[in-house]
Amino acid sequence: IIVIKIASIDKALKKIKNSGGKLYTSKVAVGPIGFYAKIKDTEGNVIGIWEDAPENIHLINTIESDSLCVNDG
């Protein structure tokens, strides 16, 4: 699958749907590095779209409590 890096998956999905494309798989977080979704274009081709996570947010997985903490500083 070809994957295209974009600025905003949410904005792209609106444009894709308005142009006749369809969401193939929902937007999912890929650890702390970004977001991924698959779309189907008007000719039936499945394409991946990628959005980097914001640079000012650092996700830290704490081993003691096995919880996810967000540090935006």
Side-chain angles (χ1 to χ4, degrees):
I1 291 181
I2 295 172
V3 178
I4 300 169
K5 182 178 173 183
I6 57 173
S8 169
I9 285 182
D10 296 325
K11 288 180 183 178
L13 288 176
K14 288 179 186 177
K15 289 180 182 180
I16 290 163
K17 289 177 183 177
N18 290 338
S19 300
K22 297 179 182 177
L23 180 63
Y24 191 76
T25 60
S26 298
K27 174 182 169 182
V28 295
V30 180
I33 60 173
F35 303 94
Y36 179 75
K38 290 181 190 173
I39 58 103
K40 188 180 274 190
D41 69 15
T42 56
E43 296 179 0
N45 301 300
V46 176
I47 302 166
I49 53 177
W50 174 264
E51 173 188 344
D52 285 336
E55 291 182 22
N56 62 342
I57 295 178
H58 305 285
L59 299 175
I60 303 166
N61 188 358
T62 58
I63 297 170
E64 300 81 19
S65 63
D66 196 30
S67 63
L68 193 62
C69 300
V70 177
N71 176 4
D72 61 356

